[in-house]
mmCIF file of all heavy atoms in Angstrom:
data_model
loop_
_atom_site.group_PDB
_atom_site.id
_atom_site.type_symbol
_atom_site.label_atom_id
_atom_site.label_comp_id
_atom_site.label_asym_id
_atom_site.label_seq_id
_atom_site.Cartn_x
_atom_site.Cartn_y
_atom_site.Cartn_z
ATOM 1 N N PRO A 36 1.549 18.171 0.723
ATOM 2 C CA PRO A 36 1.564 19.274 1.690
ATOM 3 C C PRO A 36 1.441 20.627 1.001
ATOM 4 O O PRO A 36 1.803 20.788 -0.166
ATOM 5 C CB PRO A 36 2.961 19.135 2.313
ATOM 6 C CG PRO A 36 3.805 18.646 1.175
ATOM 7 C CD PRO A 36 2.920 17.856 0.258
ATOM 8 N N GLY A 37 0.947 21.595 1.722
ATOM 9 C CA GLY A 37 0.884 22.940 1.153
ATOM 10 C C GLY A 37 0.289 23.897 2.159
ATOM 11 O O GLY A 37 -0.215 23.479 3.218
ATOM 12 N N SER A 38 0.366 25.183 1.821
ATOM 13 C CA SER A 38 -0.250 26.192 2.686
ATOM 14 C C SER A 38 -1.770 26.225 2.470
ATOM 15 O O SER A 38 -2.532 26.518 3.387
ATOM 16 C CB SER A 38 0.313 27.586 2.378
ATOM 17 O OG SER A 38 1.683 27.624 2.604
ATOM 18 N N PHE A 39 -2.197 26.007 1.239
ATOM 19 C CA PHE A 39 -3.620 25.979 0.871
ATOM 20 C C PHE A 39 -4.372 27.179 1.463
ATOM 21 O O PHE A 39 -5.397 27.018 2.134
ATOM 22 C CB PHE A 39 -4.283 24.673 1.331
ATOM 23 C CG PHE A 39 -3.613 23.444 0.789
ATOM 24 C CD1 PHE A 39 -2.948 22.547 1.625
ATOM 25 C CD2 PHE A 39 -3.621 23.177 -0.572
ATOM 26 C CE1 PHE A 39 -2.324 21.413 1.123
ATOM 27 C CE2 PHE A 39 -2.997 22.037 -1.092
ATOM 28 C CZ PHE A 39 -2.351 21.162 -0.235
ATOM 29 N N HIS A 46 -5.120 23.326 -6.919
ATOM 30 C CA HIS A 46 -4.804 22.334 -5.879
ATOM 31 C C HIS A 46 -5.734 21.115 -6.004
ATOM 32 O O HIS A 46 -5.300 19.978 -5.886
ATOM 33 C CB HIS A 46 -5.016 22.927 -4.474
ATOM 34 C CG HIS A 46 -4.110 24.058 -4.113
ATOM 35 N ND1 HIS A 46 -4.569 25.261 -3.618
ATOM 36 C CD2 HIS A 46 -2.765 24.176 -4.162
ATOM 37 C CE1 HIS A 46 -3.546 26.064 -3.368
ATOM 38 N NE2 HIS A 46 -2.440 25.434 -3.702
ATOM 39 N N SER A 65 0.061 22.574 5.943
ATOM 40 C CA SER A 65 1.332 22.772 6.649
ATOM 41 C C SER A 65 1.603 24.267 6.788
ATOM 42 O O SER A 65 0.917 25.094 6.185
ATOM 43 C CB SER A 65 2.488 22.147 5.876
ATOM 44 O OG SER A 65 2.150 20.888 5.412
ATOM 45 N N ILE A 66 2.664 24.562 7.515
ATOM 46 C CA ILE A 66 2.976 25.971 7.765
ATOM 47 C C ILE A 66 4.358 26.304 7.240
ATOM 48 O O ILE A 66 5.326 25.591 7.526
ATOM 49 C CB ILE A 66 2.870 26.267 9.274
ATOM 50 C CG1 ILE A 66 1.393 26.239 9.671
ATOM 51 C CG2 ILE A 66 3.484 27.621 9.626
ATOM 52 C CD1 ILE A 66 1.136 26.323 11.144
ATOM 53 N N ASN A 67 4.428 27.367 6.455
ATOM 54 C CA ASN A 67 5.724 27.951 6.117
ATOM 55 C C ASN A 67 5.895 29.130 7.076
ATOM 56 O O ASN A 67 5.177 30.128 6.977
ATOM 57 C CB ASN A 67 5.715 28.434 4.658
ATOM 58 C CG ASN A 67 6.990 29.155 4.278
ATOM 59 O OD1 ASN A 67 7.761 29.538 5.157
ATOM 60 N ND2 ASN A 67 7.212 29.325 2.995
ATOM 61 N N PRO A 68 6.809 29.021 8.046
ATOM 62 C CA PRO A 68 6.897 30.052 9.084
ATOM 63 C C PRO A 68 7.243 31.436 8.539
ATOM 64 O O PRO A 68 7.093 32.435 9.250
ATOM 65 C CB PRO A 68 7.986 29.536 10.027
ATOM 66 C CG PRO A 68 8.608 28.373 9.373
ATOM 67 C CD PRO A 68 7.791 27.938 8.206
ATOM 68 N N LYS A 70 5.680 32.783 6.018
ATOM 69 C CA LYS A 70 4.483 33.377 5.388
ATOM 70 C C LYS A 70 3.458 33.741 6.452
ATOM 71 O O LYS A 70 3.427 33.121 7.523
ATOM 72 C CB LYS A 70 3.832 32.349 4.456
ATOM 73 C CG LYS A 70 4.503 32.172 3.106
ATOM 74 C CD LYS A 70 3.638 31.258 2.238
ATOM 75 C CE LYS A 70 4.235 31.038 0.857
ATOM 76 N NZ LYS A 70 3.479 30.017 0.096
ATOM 77 N N TYR A 72 -0.743 34.039 7.032
ATOM 78 C CA TYR A 72 -1.900 33.430 6.385
ATOM 79 C C TYR A 72 -3.192 34.178 6.687
ATOM 80 O O TYR A 72 -3.325 34.821 7.720
ATOM 81 C CB TYR A 72 -2.023 31.965 6.832
ATOM 82 C CG TYR A 72 -0.857 31.107 6.374
ATOM 83 C CD1 TYR A 72 -0.054 30.440 7.296
ATOM 84 C CD2 TYR A 72 -0.559 30.969 5.024
ATOM 85 C CE1 TYR A 72 1.008 29.650 6.873
ATOM 86 C CE2 TYR A 72 0.504 30.187 4.596
ATOM 87 C CZ TYR A 72 1.287 29.536 5.521
ATOM 88 O OH TYR A 72 2.334 28.768 5.101
ATOM 89 N N TYR A 98 -0.607 20.015 10.287
ATOM 90 C CA TYR A 98 0.569 19.755 11.131
ATOM 91 C C TYR A 98 1.400 21.018 11.159
ATOM 92 O O TYR A 98 1.655 21.610 10.106
ATOM 93 C CB TYR A 98 1.373 18.591 10.534
ATOM 94 C CG TYR A 98 2.482 18.089 11.428
ATOM 95 C CD1 TYR A 98 2.201 17.482 12.646
ATOM 96 C CD2 TYR A 98 3.820 18.222 11.048
ATOM 97 C CE1 TYR A 98 3.219 17.004 13.470
ATOM 98 C CE2 TYR A 98 4.841 17.747 11.867
ATOM 99 C CZ TYR A 98 4.532 17.134 13.070
ATOM 100 O OH TYR A 98 5.533 16.670 13.875
ATOM 101 N N GLY A 100 4.558 21.271 12.382
ATOM 102 C CA GLY A 100 5.995 21.008 12.536
ATOM 103 C C GLY A 100 6.639 20.740 11.198
ATOM 104 O O GLY A 100 6.118 21.134 10.146
ATOM 105 N N LEU A 101 7.781 20.037 11.257
ATOM 106 C CA LEU A 101 8.499 19.710 10.023
ATOM 107 C C LEU A 101 7.730 18.655 9.237
ATOM 108 O O LEU A 101 7.300 17.635 9.797
ATOM 109 C CB LEU A 101 9.870 19.135 10.349
ATOM 110 C CG LEU A 101 11.038 20.087 10.565
ATOM 111 C CD1 LEU A 101 12.312 19.281 10.795
ATOM 112 C CD2 LEU A 101 11.221 21.023 9.369
ATOM 113 N N LEU A 102 7.617 18.878 7.947
ATOM 114 C CA LEU A 102 6.931 17.928 7.079
ATOM 115 C C LEU A 102 7.528 16.522 7.217
ATOM 116 O O LEU A 102 6.810 15.527 7.262
ATOM 117 C CB LEU A 102 7.035 18.433 5.627
ATOM 118 C CG LEU A 102 6.602 17.463 4.543
ATOM 119 C CD1 LEU A 102 5.137 17.099 4.684
ATOM 120 C CD2 LEU A 102 6.873 18.060 3.165
ATOM 121 N N ILE A 103 8.852 16.471 7.317
ATOM 122 C CA ILE A 103 9.504 15.161 7.314
ATOM 123 C C ILE A 103 9.188 14.377 8.587
ATOM 124 O O ILE A 103 9.132 13.142 8.576
ATOM 125 C CB ILE A 103 11.036 15.332 7.074
ATOM 126 C CG1 ILE A 103 11.569 14.111 6.332
ATOM 127 C CG2 ILE A 103 11.791 15.620 8.328
ATOM 128 C CD1 ILE A 103 11.036 13.945 4.963
ATOM 129 N N LYS A 116 3.984 17.132 -5.012
ATOM 130 C CA LYS A 116 3.912 18.584 -5.160
ATOM 131 C C LYS A 116 3.388 18.907 -6.563
ATOM 132 O O LYS A 116 3.658 18.161 -7.504
ATOM 133 C CB LYS A 116 5.298 19.217 -4.996
ATOM 134 C CG LYS A 116 5.823 19.237 -3.567
ATOM 135 C CD LYS A 116 4.976 20.120 -2.686
ATOM 136 C CE LYS A 116 5.570 20.475 -1.364
ATOM 137 N NZ LYS A 116 6.521 21.542 -1.397
ATOM 138 N N ASN A 126 12.642 26.547 -5.901
ATOM 139 C CA ASN A 126 12.244 26.399 -4.504
ATOM 140 C C ASN A 126 11.769 24.972 -4.205
ATOM 141 O O ASN A 126 12.141 24.373 -3.192
ATOM 142 C CB ASN A 126 11.130 27.426 -4.224
ATOM 143 C CG ASN A 126 10.733 27.455 -2.780
ATOM 144 O OD1 ASN A 126 11.564 27.280 -1.898
ATOM 145 N ND2 ASN A 126 9.437 27.641 -2.518
ATOM 146 N N GLU A 127 10.968 24.421 -5.122
ATOM 147 C CA GLU A 127 10.443 23.069 -4.909
ATOM 148 C C GLU A 127 11.562 22.034 -4.933
ATOM 149 O O GLU A 127 11.560 21.082 -4.155
ATOM 150 C CB GLU A 127 9.389 22.724 -5.983
ATOM 151 C CG GLU A 127 8.098 23.511 -5.873
ATOM 152 C CD GLU A 127 7.343 23.226 -4.561
ATOM 153 O OE1 GLU A 127 7.653 22.240 -3.868
ATOM 154 O OE2 GLU A 127 6.449 24.015 -4.221
ATOM 155 N N GLN A 129 14.663 22.560 -4.161
ATOM 156 C CA GLN A 129 15.428 22.722 -2.924
ATOM 157 C C GLN A 129 14.720 22.003 -1.760
ATOM 158 O O GLN A 129 15.354 21.291 -0.984
ATOM 159 C CB GLN A 129 15.563 24.212 -2.636
ATOM 160 C CG GLN A 129 16.579 24.529 -1.577
ATOM 161 C CD GLN A 129 16.684 26.032 -1.353
ATOM 162 O OE1 GLN A 129 15.798 26.807 -1.749
ATOM 163 N NE2 GLN A 129 17.751 26.459 -0.735
ATOM 164 N N MET A 130 13.400 22.177 -1.675
ATOM 165 C CA MET A 130 12.653 21.520 -0.586
ATOM 166 C C MET A 130 12.729 20.001 -0.717
ATOM 167 O O MET A 130 12.878 19.280 0.273
ATOM 168 C CB MET A 130 11.194 21.981 -0.591
ATOM 169 C CG MET A 130 11.006 23.347 0.038
ATOM 170 S SD MET A 130 9.300 23.669 0.485
ATOM 171 C CE MET A 130 8.646 24.296 -1.034
ATOM 172 N N ALA A 131 12.650 19.512 -1.975
ATOM 173 C CA ALA A 131 12.723 18.057 -2.193
ATOM 174 C C ALA A 131 14.086 17.529 -1.735
ATOM 175 O O ALA A 131 14.178 16.482 -1.087
ATOM 176 C CB ALA A 131 12.493 17.741 -3.673
ATOM 177 N N VAL A 133 16.153 18.932 0.486
ATOM 178 C CA VAL A 133 16.267 19.035 1.950
ATOM 179 C C VAL A 133 15.511 17.876 2.607
ATOM 180 O O VAL A 133 16.028 17.199 3.507
ATOM 181 C CB VAL A 133 15.729 20.389 2.458
ATOM 182 C CG1 VAL A 133 15.573 20.382 3.977
ATOM 183 C CG2 VAL A 133 16.643 21.519 2.038
ATOM 184 N N ASN A 134 14.301 17.618 2.119
ATOM 185 C CA ASN A 134 13.511 16.543 2.717
ATOM 186 C C ASN A 134 14.201 15.190 2.529
ATOM 187 O O ASN A 134 14.196 14.351 3.427
ATOM 188 C CB ASN A 134 12.091 16.526 2.143
ATOM 189 C CG ASN A 134 11.256 17.652 2.747
ATOM 190 O OD1 ASN A 134 11.403 17.977 3.920
ATOM 191 N ND2 ASN A 134 10.402 18.264 1.941
ATOM 192 N N LEU A 137 17.016 14.935 4.957
ATOM 193 C CA LEU A 137 16.558 14.673 6.326
ATOM 194 C C LEU A 137 16.054 13.235 6.489
ATOM 195 O O LEU A 137 16.078 12.681 7.575
ATOM 196 C CB LEU A 137 15.445 15.661 6.704
ATOM 197 C CG LEU A 137 15.868 17.139 6.818
ATOM 198 C CD1 LEU A 137 14.637 18.025 7.015
ATOM 199 C CD2 LEU A 137 16.845 17.341 7.974
HETATM 200 O O1 PNS B 5 1.943 25.953 -0.464
HETATM 201 P P1 PNS B 5 3.355 26.292 -0.054
HETATM 202 O O2 PNS B 5 3.390 27.569 0.761
HETATM 203 O O3 PNS B 5 4.315 26.305 -1.207
HETATM 204 O O4 PNS B 5 3.818 25.083 0.908
HETATM 205 C C1 PNS B 5 5.096 25.072 1.495
HETATM 206 C C2 PNS B 5 5.068 24.102 2.672
HETATM 207 C C3 PNS B 5 4.078 24.591 3.719
HETATM 208 C C4 PNS B 5 4.664 22.714 2.193
HETATM 209 C C5 PNS B 5 6.512 24.032 3.253
HETATM 210 O O5 PNS B 5 6.890 25.301 3.721
HETATM 211 C C6 PNS B 5 6.627 23.003 4.370
HETATM 212 O O6 PNS B 5 6.868 21.843 4.099
HETATM 213 N N1 PNS B 5 6.425 23.458 5.635
HETATM 214 C C7 PNS B 5 6.537 22.594 6.798
HETATM 215 C C8 PNS B 5 7.824 22.904 7.578
HETATM 216 C C9 PNS B 5 9.001 22.218 6.906
HETATM 217 O O7 PNS B 5 9.099 20.997 6.875
HETATM 218 N N2 PNS B 5 9.902 23.028 6.349
HETATM 219 C C10 PNS B 5 11.055 22.534 5.616
HETATM 220 C C11 PNS B 5 10.703 22.230 4.187
HETATM 221 S S1 PNS B 5 12.140 21.994 3.278
#
Side-chain angles (χ1 to χ4, degrees):
S38 299
F39 303 114
H46 295 129
S65 316
I66 289 172
N67 175 345
K70 281 187 179 173
Y72 295 121
Y98 189 65
L101 274 183
L102 169 62
I103 211 65
K116 287 295 194 81
N126 185 35
E127 291 297 345
Q129 193 179 17
M130 281 197 274
V133 168
N134 284 324
L137 293 173

